[in-house]
C-alpha cells in the first residue's frame, strides 16, 4: 500500500465490517487478536489501520518506538496459537500525505474452513468463531446468530466445492435426467 492508496482508504472512511481503526499504540496481541480472527472470517478479509482514533477518526500516526513493535515475525508467532487453521496477514508501514506513519494490517479471508479460536485469551475464548457482521454495528464479536453463521458456512461450502472441482469431482448440473431414469415409466 502506498500513500495514495492510504489516502484513498482514509478519505471519508468510517469503520466497516472490513475496516477497523485503532488509536496510536504499540503492538499488543490482546488488543488485536479478536479483530484479526474476525476479519479472517469475512468475505474479503479486512484491514486494521493503527494510528487513527477510532471514535473521532483523528489521524494520530505512530511514533518510531510504536512502529518498531509491529514486527511481523513476532506478531505471527503471537497470533498463531489462537487460530485454527492459521490466519494469513501482512503488515505494512505507510506514510500519509501529512508525513504521519501508520501501520496497516491486511488480513486474508480463510481458505476452506472458518477460523476458530483455539485458545483462551484476554478478550477471546477457545472454541468460538469471531466475525464482523455486515448488518450490525462494525465490531469483532463471537458469532451469536444463525444469519452470521449461515454466511460463514455457505462461504466455506463454496470454497470446498471449488477445491473438489479442482480435484476432478463435480456435481452434475442437471439431476432431472437421472431422476427421470430412476423413476422409469412411473
Amino acid at each position: 500500500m502506498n500513500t495514495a492508496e492510504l489516502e484513498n482508504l482514509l478519505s471519508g472512511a468510517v469503520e466497516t465490517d472490513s475496516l477497523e481503526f485503532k488509536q496510536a499504540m504499540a503492538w499488543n496481541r490482546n488488543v488485536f487478536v479478536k479483530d484479526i480472527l474476525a476479519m479472517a472470517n469475512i468475505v474479503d478479509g479486512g484491514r486494521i489501520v493503527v494510528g487513527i482514533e477510532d471514535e473521532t477518526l483523528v489521524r494520530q500516526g505512530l511514533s518510531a518506538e510504536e512502529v518498531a513493535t509491529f514486527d511481523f515475525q513476532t506478531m505471527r508467532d503471537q497470533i498463531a496459537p489462537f487460530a485454527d487453521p492459521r490466519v494469513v496477514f501482512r503488515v505494512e508501514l505507510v506514510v500519509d500525505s501529512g508525513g504521519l506513519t501508520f501501520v496497516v494490517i491486511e488480513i486474508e479471508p480463510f481458505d476452506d474452513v472458518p477460523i476458530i479460536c483455539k485458545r483462551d485469551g484476554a478478550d477471546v475464548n477457545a472454541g468460538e468463531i469471531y466475525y464482523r457482521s455486515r448488518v450490525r454495528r462494525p465490531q469483532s464479536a463471537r458469532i451469536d446468530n444463525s444469519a452470521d453463521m449461515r454466511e460463514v458456512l455457505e462461504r466455506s461450502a463454496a470454497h470446498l466445492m471449488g477445491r473438489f472441482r479442482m480435484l476432478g469431482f463435480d456435481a452434475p448440473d442437471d439431476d432431472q435426467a437421472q431422476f427421470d431414469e430412476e423413476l422409469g415409466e412411473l
Side-chain angles (χ1 to χ4, degrees), residues 58-101:
V58 170
R59 295 183 188 194
Q60 302 167 314
L62 279 79
S63 68
E65 294 80 22
E66 290 168 330
V67 167
T69 66
F70 285 87
D71 174 68
F72 175 72
Q73 300 299 333
T74 301
M75 294 169 67
R76 186 186 63 196
D77 292 347
Q78 289 183 356
I79 294 298
F82 290 93
D84 182 27
R86 72 185 178 101
V87 173
V88 176
F89 63 92
R90 291 183 300 286
V91 179
E92 296 184 63
L93 301 177
V94 187
V95 178
D96 74 357
S97 59
L100 295 173
T101 302

Side-chain angles (χ1 to χ4, degrees), residues 28-81:
N28 178 341
R29 80 158 184 235
N30 293 328
V31 172
F32 291 92
V33 68
K34 187 190 316 184
D35 292 320
I36 291 172
L37 296 176
M39 287 185 171
N41 285 325
I42 61 174
V43 174
D44 294 321
R47 292 180 174 145
I48 302 170
V49 181
V50 185
I52 297 182
E53 207 290 313
D54 62 348
E55 296 295 322
T56 63
L57 304 181
V58 170
R59 295 183 188 194
Q60 302 167 314
L62 279 79
S63 68
E65 294 80 22
E66 290 168 330
V67 167
T69 66
F70 285 87
D71 174 68
F72 175 72
Q73 300 299 333
T74 301
M75 294 169 67
R76 186 186 63 196
D77 292 347
Q78 289 183 356
I79 294 298

